[in-house]
Amino acid sequence: MLDGCSCLVLLVLSIGIAGVNGQLDFLGFINIDCGLPIPSIVDNGDTSGNFQFLSDEQFIDTGINKQISSLHSPEGMSNLYLTVRSFPNGTRNCYTFRSLTVGNKYLVKGAFFYGNYDNLNLAPIFDIYLGVNYWVTVNSIVDTFYFPEIIATATADYLQVCLINTGKGTPYISWLQLKELETSMYPNNPTVDSSQSLVHVLRFNLGASYRPLVRYPDDHHDRWWWSQTAHTWLEVSTNSSVGNPDPEYDPPSFIIQTAAFTSSTKEALQIRWTSNDPSTKFLVVLHIVEIEDISKIDFREFDINCNRDTWFESVNPGRHFTQINGKNVTANWVAFQPTGYTSYLMSLEATARSTLPPLLNSIEVYKFANATGVPTDVGDVTAINAIKENYKVTKGWSGDPCIPIDYAWTGLRCTIYSNVPRITHLNLSSAGLTGELISFFGNLTALVSLDVSGNDLSGALGTYLDQLVALKYLDVTGNENISSTLPPGLQKRQQDGTLTFKSKIGEFTQQSKKKKVPVVLIAVVGAVVLLLLAVAIILVFCLRKRPDNQIYTPRANENTGSSPLTNNYGGNYAYSPAANISHGNNAGQNYANISKPSGSGKGMLNFDNRQFTYNDLKQITNSFQNNIGTGGFGSVYLGVLENGTQVAVKMHSHSSSQGVKEFLAEAQNLTRVHHKNLVSLLGYSMDGDCMALVYEYMQEGTLQDKLRVNGRPLSWKERLRVACESAQGLHKACNPPLIHRDVKTDNILLNTNLKAKIADFGLSRAFNNASSHVSTAVVGTPGYLDPEYYQSYQLSEKNWLHTSNV
Ligand SMILES: *[C@@H]1O[C@H](CO)[C@@H](O)[C@H](O)[C@H]1NC(C)=O
Ligand SMILES: *[C@@H]1O[C@H](CO)[C@@H](O)[C@H](O)[C@H]1NC(C)=O
Ligand SMILES: *[C@@H]1O[C@H](CO)[C@@H](O)[C@H](O)[C@H]1NC(C)=O
Ligand SMILES: *[C@@H]1O[C@H](CO)[C@@H](O)[C@H](O)[C@H]1NC(C)=O
Ligand SMILES: *[C@@H]1O[C@H](CO)[C@@H](O)[C@H](O)[C@H]1NC(C)=O
Ligand SMILES: *[C@@H]1O[C@H](CO)[C@@H](O)[C@H](O)[C@H]1NC(C)=O
Ligand SMILES: *[C@@H]1O[C@H](CO)[C@@H](O)[C@H](O)[C@H]1NC(C)=O
């Protein structure tokens, strides 16, 4: 612990070094804590404590500061998430990073944690643009962190991050970070350049299950490397740091110092992710370095396949080199760009002559995003922003003035000249402008029409207006004290008849300024307003009742879109700094739950389960010879995998009362949770009509049989242990908890050591931590249900305890 004195010193230091002018700090970062009210005060920042975060005041001039609900901010949560900035007004609101270098690459990361800051308990959906280009849609889930990331080239000396209201709730943001990357990174050809950027999909550190996250300072770009492992993978690590031979992707040494490999040369090392759009192109970067001390006679070599394509043959992860296509290369990474599918299975498969299984240190997957939107001419942008600043224009102007057209600023129109948008029409009529017409109007050199009527402008029309060589219409009427004398250039054009100039006060015809409103109109409007007010009050009164019935927010728990099984695979998941895996829908979105990690750091995997074909299953079970039981789902057969592991293959029967839904529920839940007291799912099959789940084999069968029929009765001690282990499986296994809904002796299985494991998650559903109860239809086996639950239909953690009456 630091004593008070050194804390003070640190604080003083950190204020000294942070980029208080909104410029890159000496580490190359700009870190912004959104919604922090005091300008330029350094927040203690992230849990890592390594960063200074600035208040966002100097980066944006719209939006309001909000605090998240205390019910959604557990103890120990980083300060960064306690405040958000939210944007009730305007379609587009943008943060601006200034003083950047044109042509340099930047890694931009946003953080979104809804935290019920608006008490609506309904997280909004909105879009994020980087400048004029679409980046990602934030589809927040209550109590879930979301960290989108993009690597892009700056086409101007600033970059803007814009939140776009798409009509599905008020956009908000928790924090924002920008990091300048070396120009050698993510090289121009073929990856990041001014026409395309990279949107983060997944970034995994393999073989490091003891360490959930590697980030700054170990990665000096603060890329987040989440530990991932499949329970069939083995791990190897080295304590000697690995020099960086790879300036392109600059992996931190810690990432290279650990690796995962499969248990045999027969087993491929596989990673999956999904895409909503088959035309999306991905960039996959694999870091492959031999860190195991392998003997002279051993030899590791594998092919790298993705779906039907072989990208690299006979890769040999030499300690200091990699062999690709028979050539020695000094770099220890490979990169490839698959496209054309909605689901990707990357598979590292040992070659026939390899004596060692495939090995992988880490993987990064990005998707290419178009950066083809061309922003408005820089001169126009500078001028219009100066005009906005000078007159404090309150039209909600934010982001690029012209692009995208749907979000162009109100009061102006643009035309594209040789591919670059220019401002051609500017209407600041009755916009409250005061003082002189500043010279920046003269910098809008493509202007065709300028209307500043109905303001309080004064003074001369300066010669700078002569720069407006395309001007055809100028209206300064309704400004009492403005000169009506044009500068010489414009005067000539007026005489030519190429310019229409309106200047006389009398010509100003709009009603908005100083026009008397008839008394009758006031009365009518007043009456209408009163009526509307009354209706509004009644409505508000009625609507206020709703939240009570809305404690369970379906979106928080339920996947929409494709089947849960496919959803559950893919790199759509990440841990928060201290969290478990959760689910997300779109490739490139990283959700993580707020809850603390449970028990083991290993597992909780969504992509490790093996997919079997019907023929595989037939082979494994020796043509379904050994039927070892029948459940609600169908028959269960004993099988043996290639490596000798005994498995139970649960085939779905067509006559089964449990259907596809339960099948998927089970698959999804078991891929989400791994616990020593839950039966492990090793794989599944969805081959045509054949649906099957492959489990570890529990030799001693069900507890029910053990209690009722089989030979030796269980001792009291054994019974107690079985009960405890079952309870652990139910209560400790996962966070947020799962409600099993059908716990009975039938569904408790025992292995050779009489260790108990819970099976049959076909009826379970995820339990929303944040709510106090869940209302669902009553399901399960009568006689095993909690009577309270049976009567009330209200499932809570309390009767969930009762439900597990072993
Ligand atoms: C939103 O607009 C309303 C009326 O236009 C204004 O009163 C309010 O201050 C604005 N709020 C923000 C956050 O800009
Ligand atoms: C690495 O160092 C740690 C502690 O210093 C030690 O426990 C571990 O065994 C070492 N690992 C290897 C592979 O040398
Ligand atoms: C690649 O490098 C290894 C180790 O230095 C060497 O034995 C081998 O001959 C090289 N292969 C080729 C094709 O250059
Ligand atoms: C990217 O831009 C190209 C050319 O402008 C266009 O054909 C393509 O559809 C765009 N892709 C996406 C995903 O928007
Ligand atoms: C500018 O906008 C006002 C209304 O906001 C409109 O009456 C006027 O015609 C516009 N001027 C031009 C040149 O279009
Ligand atoms: C605006 O125009 C003036 C000439 O009137 C020029 O000197 C100045 O550099 C321009 N400003 C910008 C920001 O382009
Ligand atoms: C115009 O100028 C006169 C004299 O300087 C001043 O009294 C008046 O307030 C000005 N009007 C406006 C609208 O600024």
Side-chain angles (χ1 to χ4, degrees):
M1 283 306 273
L2 295 168
D3 59 42
C5 177
S6 48
C7 272
L8 193 65
V9 171
L10 273 182
L11 187 66
V12 170
L13 260 180
S14 60
I15 290 173
I17 58 181
V20 281
N21 305 319
Q23 293 171 359
L24 293 174
D25 64 19
F26 76 110
L27 298 167
F29 287 97
I30 299 176
N31 304 306
I32 304 176
D33 186 357
C34 304
L36 200 66
I38 312 141
S40 293
I41 281 293
V42 178
D43 182 37
N44 178 35
D46 209 330
T47 44
S48 73
N50 288 309
F51 285 121
Q52 285 79 47
F53 277 76
L54 307 174
S55 150
D56 60 352
E57 298 266 324
Q58 58 183 316
F59 300 95
I60 194 156
D61 53 15
T62 53
I64 43 176
N65 297 333
K66 288 282 189 178
Q67 295 206 325
I68 66 164
S69 152
S70 57
L71 296 174
H72 294 259
S73 52
E75 213 176 310
M77 185 187 221
S78 162
N79 288 346
L80 290 176
Y81 302 98
L82 300 184
T83 59
V84 297
R85 187 176 282 256
S86 99
F87 302 95
N89 287 359
T91 307
R92 176 171 59 172
N93 289 276
C94 302
Y95 280 89
T96 308
F97 294 104
R98 294 188 187 82
S99 309
L100 307 183
T101 308
V102 181
N104 274 10
K105 269 172 225 148
Y106 294 90
L107 170 67
V108 182
K109 179 158 62 211
F112 300 85
F113 180 75
Y114 166 65
N116 198 22
Y117 78 86
D118 54 5
N119 285 322
L120 295 175
N121 213 10
L122 186 65
I125 303 171
F126 51 92
D127 286 349
I128 307 288
Y129 275 62
L130 187 70
V132 298
N133 294 296
Y134 172 79
W135 167 6
V136 75
T137 298
V138 177
N139 186 349
S140 6
I141 294 172
V142 176
D143 284 343
T144 300
F145 294 95
Y146 180 39
F147 303 109
E149 253 182 57
I150 190 169
I151 299 171
T153 303
T155 53
D157 63 352
Y158 61 90
L159 267 177
Q160 292 189 308
V161 174
C162 301
L163 293 86
I164 312 262
N165 188 330
T166 51
K168 295 175 199 145
T170 302
Y172 71 92
I173 182 166
S174 304
W175 56 264
L176 196 54
Q177 181 190 57
L178 172 136
K179 170 67 172 67
E180 189 167 64
L181 300 179
E182 282 86 44
T183 41
S184 58
M185 292 184 69
Y186 301 90
N188 279 336
N189 193 9
T191 53
V192 181
D193 60 24
S194 55
S195 71
Q196 62 183 358
S197 44
L198 290 174
V199 173
H200 166 267
V201 175
L202 61 84
R203 191 185 293 117
F204 290 154
N205 181 18
L206 272 50
S209 54
Y210 60 90
R211 190 173 176 190
L213 174 65
V214 172
R215 52 167 300 189
Y216 188 86
D218 296 318
D219 184 321
H220 58 270
H221 309 293
D222 198 30
R223 287 169 299 182
W224 292 6
W225 303 80
W226 300 103
S227 164
Q228 282 291 17
T229 183
H231 58 264
T232 57
W233 294 354
L234 302 168
E235 304 191 340
V236 57
S237 66
T238 171
N239 279 348
S240 43
S241 82
V242 177
N244 171 25
D246 169 8
E248 285 88 349
Y249 300 102
D250 196 17
S253 179
F254 272 109
I255 300 310
I256 305 297
Q257 281 171 250
T258 62
F261 56 92
T262 56
S263 57
S264 82
T265 51
K266 299 227 170 52
E267 190 192 341
L269 192 151
Q270 299 186 320
I271 291 175
R272 282 168 198 270
W273 68 93
T274 56
S275 168
N276 295 334
D277 177 1
S279 72
T280 302
K281 191 163 77 174
F282 291 87
L283 170 70
V284 180
V285 183
L286 305 178
H287 301 280
I288 303 166
V289 181
E290 184 64 78
I291 54 169
E292 196 177 11
D293 263 331
I294 57 176
S295 69
K296 283 250 160 58
I297 52 164
D298 272 327
F299 176 61
R300 197 191 305 277
E301 188 183 78
F302 50 89
D303 296 340
I304 300 174
N305 302 316
C306 192
N307 293 9
R308 281 193 284 272
D309 310 305
T310 296
W311 287 90
F312 297 100
E313 275 177 356
S314 311
V315 173
N316 173 349
R319 190 177 280 277
H320 298 298
F321 67 94
T322 300
Q323 198 170 50
I324 299 170
N325 295 334
K327 280 191 221 128
N328 279 347
V329 255
T330 48
N332 52 6
W333 54 271
V334 296
F336 58 98
Q337 300 181 9
T339 183
Y341 301 90
T342 53
S343 167
Y344 293 83
L345 172 63
M346 191 202 68
S347 188
L348 274 46
E349 292 163 24
T351 60
R353 57 182 184 155
S354 180
T355 62
L356 295 169
L359 166 141
L360 184 61
N361 307 66
S362 66
I363 174 171
E364 291 174 83
V365 179
Y366 299 86
K367 64 177 177 184
F368 285 97
N370 264 348
T372 44
V374 178
T376 306
D377 175 79
V378 175
D380 281 4
V381 171
T382 311
I384 195 76
N385 275 315
I387 290 166
K388 173 187 154 189
E389 290 294 311
N390 184 75
Y391 299 106
K392 307 265 174 289
V393 177
T394 55
K395 285 178 180 284
W397 285 356
S398 190
D400 189 273
C402 305
I403 304 292
I405 281 172
D406 290 348
Y407 311 124
W409 292 5
T410 53
L412 58 78
R413 269 164 55 198
C414 305
T415 308
I416 293 172
Y417 292 117
S418 30
N419 210 27
V420 178
R422 302 292 312 265
I423 298 172
T424 50
H425 295 70
L426 178 57
N427 188 344
L428 285 169
S429 174
S430 307
L433 314 189
T434 57
E436 303 207 343
L437 211 54
I438 60 170
S439 68
F440 277 103
F441 281 99
N443 292 69
L444 293 170
T445 50
L447 267 191
V448 173
S449 162
L450 175 60
D451 185 346
V452 289
S453 62
N455 292 299
D456 285 333
L457 293 167
S458 55
L461 300 175
T463 52
Y464 49 81
L465 290 178
D466 279 344
Q467 295 172 102
L468 305 181
V469 292
L471 198 66
K472 293 204 175 82
Y473 181 88
L474 175 60
D475 189 346
V476 298
T477 57
N479 293 285
E480 248 178 70
N481 288 346
I482 205 162
S483 156
S484 58
T485 311
L486 283 173
L490 291 184
Q491 213 165 32
K492 189 154 167 291
R493 307 250 318 276
Q494 190 190 18
Q495 284 152 11
D496 289 353
T498 49
L499 172 68
T500 308
F501 178 48
K502 295 191 175 173
S503 65
K504 293 195 196 74
I505 291 173
E507 277 185 75
F508 182 66
T509 50
Q510 290 160 48
Q511 332 151 340
S512 46
K513 203 189 173 196
K514 293 175 195 160
K515 202 163 175 192
K516 278 194 187 134
V517 184
V519 177
V520 181
L521 193 61
I522 292 176
V524 171
V525 169
V528 169
V529 166
L530 277 179
L531 193 70
L532 285 179
L533 213 72
V535 171
I537 288 170
I538 292 166
L539 270 180
V540 166
F541 188 75
C542 296
L543 288 177
R544 277 185 68 135
K545 293 197 137 113
R546 273 185 62 202
D548 296 335
N549 314 327
Q550 283 182 345
I551 291 171
Y552 174 59
T553 312
R555 269 212 299 134
N557 271 329
E558 286 162 15
N559 278 315
T560 51
S562 51
S563 85
L565 200 62
T566 53
N567 248 326
N568 217 9
Y569 293 99
N572 311 339
Y573 312 89
Y575 299 89
S576 78
N580 280 341
I581 269 179
S582 173
H583 54 260
N585 293 329
N586 305 328
Q589 299 211 350
N590 309 297
Y591 293 102
N593 271 322
I594 168 173
S595 39
K596 296 256 154 47
S598 66
S600 67
K602 214 166 171 174
M604 289 168 231
L605 243 228
N606 34 60
F607 56 84
D608 58 332
N609 295 97
R610 175 168 161 191
Q611 188 166 4
F612 295 89
T613 63
Y614 180 77
N615 279 336
D616 291 342
L617 294 180
K618 206 166 149 190
Q619 209 169 352
I620 289 168
T621 59
N622 201 3
S623 302
F624 306 103
Q625 280 210 334
N626 196 350
N627 185 328
I628 51 173
T630 308
F633 188 71
S635 299
V636 187
Y637 300 91
L638 179 62
V640 182
L641 294 183
E642 304 90 338
N643 62 6
T645 313
Q646 283 190 311
V647 293
V649 179
K650 198 168 171 185
M651 299 294 293
H652 179 247
S653 128
H654 292 287
S655 57
S656 159
S657 63
Q658 293 184 22
V660 179
K661 212 170 110 200
E662 284 78 15
F663 171 83
L664 292 173
E666 174 136 28
Q668 186 181 23
N669 287 322
L670 283 176
T671 48
R672 187 162 74 81
V673 294
H674 290 264
H675 187 272
K676 63 183 194 309
N677 299 117
L678 296 183
V679 174
S680 298
L681 182 68
L682 302 178
Y684 70 97
S685 170
M686 281 187 82
D687 188 1
D689 272 357
C690 161
M691 284 198 297
L693 296 170
V694 180
Y695 295 90
E696 65 176 313
Y697 178 52
M698 303 292 288
Q699 293 84 349
E700 289 294 321
T702 71
L703 178 60
Q704 176 167 17
D705 288 349
K706 202 84 207 157
L707 292 176
R708 288 216 301 228
V709 283
N710 281 5
R712 180 181 75 84
L714 292 174
S715 69
W716 167 244
K717 225 170 150 183
E718 282 166 340
R719 284 169 199 243
L720 192 63
R721 191 170 44 76
V722 164
C724 289
E725 285 172 349
S726 310
Q728 293 223 330
L730 283 165
H731 300 303
K732 297 268 169 64
C734 52
N735 198 349
L738 272 177
I739 303 178
H740 187 289
R741 303 204 292 186
D742 200 14
V743 179
K744 50 185 179 183
T745 51
D746 247 342
N747 286 337
I748 295 169
L749 302 182
L750 305 170
N751 69 9
T752 33
N753 308 325
L754 290 182
K755 186 172 186 161
K757 302 194 181 197
I758 307 284
D760 206 343
F761 276 74
L763 296 174
S764 59
R765 72 182 296 161
F767 185 84
N768 184 0
N769 237 351
S771 57
S772 60
H773 63 267
V774 184
S775 172
T776 67
V778 170
V779 295
T781 310
Y784 288 96
L785 289 168
D786 173 30
E788 224 174 279
Y789 164 44
Y790 194 76
Q791 278 166 13
S792 67
Y793 285 48
Q794 299 290 324
L795 211 45
S796 76
E797 254 180 281
K798 239 197 298 183
N799 54 26
W800 171 58
L801 289 172
H802 296 153
T803 324
S804 46
N805 55 7
V806 188

